């Protein structure tokens, strides 16, 4: 019923042309890399296009690559009516990672984006309440960055490191 | 002859006149320990198993898990205490009436467990924030181990004295929670 991964990638490339930077359909888990500034438009298209109908963004996560100086976001899109899925990656500059919020496309992205902001420090422009969600409100630093150092004390509790 | 004439040593007074009362009070107290209902992570599953029919903590009088700290006299800290949760745990402890006891259940609560090295968000031992009476090692400890800890707490309870409150007042206070 659903489309092949190569067909999905083909539809995206046909529609967005050079906004799709890389297409790894041969990878074990096929993915496309997109230009970050086109993300919101692509997201709306993925949700509303009748062939794609990605009505669920099941996971947003990110990886810090200090050697490439990027933070890579990984969006996993699911289509419950069409039973196919898609992985979209976007590489953001490490010193100022910003991307459009897609909270208005998938409501579930509210917490996902807050989590990624909390742990990696990515700013999602247009998010209505971009605050920390897992760490305490006054936490310092972004724990999933490779160069993160644990605080020695937090609110008077020693972080003993054995 | 009155008590004042005798002018007994406080210790003697305690032993001679209150020993039986102590024994009675402690017997009742130790056989109806009311734990506080709360679990923080996977260890709580084992704690629930202790409450369920197979291990059945009701055999030892502790089946009444109270949903409010004001009615509880035993705190079983079961699960990972994160920095975000620490002030809440401490506040629950403070709200419990004396005499109160704490069981630290599982590796996480004792010294951070699996998170000991890279767990930036985990308090490395709940004894950094509140005094612990019995430690139960394991990840998670088996239900029998928790029952054993309950027996240890019951033993401690049987040492309580009405007149001697030193054990309660000399517990170390390590950490004062701040409003979040
Ligand atoms: S000690 Fe093990 S089982 Fe218990 S809360 Fe920690 S990780 Fe979970």
């Amino acid at each position: 019923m659903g489309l092949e991964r190569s067909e999905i990638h083909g539809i995206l490339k046909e529609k967005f042309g050079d906004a799709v930077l890389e297409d790894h359909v041969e990878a074990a888990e096929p993915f496309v890399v997109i230009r970050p500034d086109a993300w919101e438009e692509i997201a709306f298209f993925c949700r509303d296009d009748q062939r794609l109908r990605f009505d669920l963004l099941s996971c947003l996560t990110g990886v810090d690559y200090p050697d490439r100086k990027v933070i890579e976001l990984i969006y996993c899109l699911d289509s419950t009516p069409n039973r196919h899925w898609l992985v979209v990656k976007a590489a953001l500059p490490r010193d100022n990672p910003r991307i459009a919020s897609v909270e208005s496309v998938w409501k579930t992205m509210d917490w996902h984006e807050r989590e990624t902001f909390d742990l990696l420090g990515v700013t999602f422009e247009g998010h209505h309440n971009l605050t920390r969600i897992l760490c305490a409100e006054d936490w310092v630093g972004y724990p999933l960055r490779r160069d993160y150092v644990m605080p020695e004390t937090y609110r008077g509790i020693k972080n003993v490191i054995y | 002859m009155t008590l004042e004439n005798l002018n007994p040593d406080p210790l003697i007074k305690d032993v001679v006149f209150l020993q039986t009362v102590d024994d009675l009070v402690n017997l009742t107290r130790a056989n109806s320990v009311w734990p506080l209902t709360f679990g923080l992570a996977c260890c709580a599953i084992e704690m629930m198993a202790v409450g369920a029919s197979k291990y059945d903590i009701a055999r030892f009088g502790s089946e009444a898990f109270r949903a409010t700290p004001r009615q509880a006299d035993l705190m079983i800290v079961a699960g990972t205490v994160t920095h975000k949760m620490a002030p809440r745990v401490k506040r629950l402890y403070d709200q419990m009436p004396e005499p109160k006891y704490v069981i630290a259940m599982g590796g996480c609560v004792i010294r951070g467990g699996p998170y000991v090295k890279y767990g930036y968000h985990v308090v490395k031992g709940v004894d950094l924030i509140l005094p612990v009476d019995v430690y139960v090692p394991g990840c998670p400890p088996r239900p029998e181990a928790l029952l054993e800890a309950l027996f240890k707490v019951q033993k401690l309870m049987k040492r309580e004295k009405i007149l001697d409150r030193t054990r309660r007042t000399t517990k170390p206070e390590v950490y004062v929670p701040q409003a979040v």
Side-chain angles (χ1 to χ4, degrees), chain B residues 5-176:
Chain B
N5 294 354
L6 268 174
N7 195 15
D9 183 285
L11 190 66
I12 307 269
K13 196 163 126 192
D14 181 20
V15 170
V16 174
F17 296 98
L18 284 170
Q19 187 66 61
T20 10
V21 183
D22 275 344
D23 281 351
L24 189 65
V25 169
N26 289 344
L27 185 74
T28 52
R29 176 179 283 146
N31 286 298
S32 67
V33 185
W34 287 4
L36 177 60
T37 316
F38 84 111
L40 300 178
C42 9
C43 273
I45 303 288
E46 296 300 293
M47 187 180 72
M48 291 170 214
V50 173
S53 52
K54 184 158 181 186
Y55 295 97
D56 199 11
I57 204 169
R59 291 178 293 163
F60 312 104
S62 298
E63 77 279 17
F65 278 82
R66 304 317 288 182
T68 160
R70 316 251 181 230
Q71 298 172 359
D73 47 10
L74 172 65
M75 179 183 230
I76 305 176
V77 190
T80 320
V81 183
T82 58
H83 279 299
K84 201 172 176 180
M85 190 52 94
R88 280 83 171 172
V89 174
K90 175 74 178 171
R91 183 163 306 154
L92 285 177
Y93 176 80
D94 289 342
Q95 286 174 338
M96 283 163 58
E98 290 279 6
K100 50 193 170 187
Y101 294 83
V102 178
I103 294 178
M105 181 186 184
C108 287
V109 182
I110 296 173
R111 272 298 171 269
Y115 312 101
V116 68
K117 191 144 185 183
Y118 299 110
Y120 54 90
H121 60 304
V122 175
V123 176
K124 305 292 170 8
V126 79
D127 49 4
L128 292 171
I129 58 170
L130 46 87
V132 173
D133 293 291
V134 181
Y135 295 85
V136 196
C139 181
R142 284 196 54 88
E144 295 94 328
L146 185 58
L147 286 178
E148 177 75 30
L150 176 73
F151 304 152
K152 290 230 151 63
V153 166
Q154 288 179 339
K155 267 192 195 146
L156 286 176
M157 283 187 165
K158 286 185 182 152
R159 296 211 312 242
E160 285 284 348
K161 296 219 179 303
I162 290 174
L163 289 185
D164 176 15
R165 298 178 66 87
T166 44
R167 193 191 147 270
R168 300 178 208 166
T169 49
T170 52
K171 282 185 180 181
E173 289 293 324
V174 193
Y175 164 69
V176 184

Side-chain angles (χ1 to χ4, degrees), chain A residues 103-122:
Chain A
E103 193 204 357
S104 48
V105 188
W106 296 281
K107 193 69 193 119
T108 165
M109 291 314 287
D110 182 354
W111 284 10
H112 283 260
E113 286 179 350
R114 279 178 66 189
E115 184 201 16
T116 311
F117 165 74
D118 188 357
L119 299 180
L120 280 161
V122 177

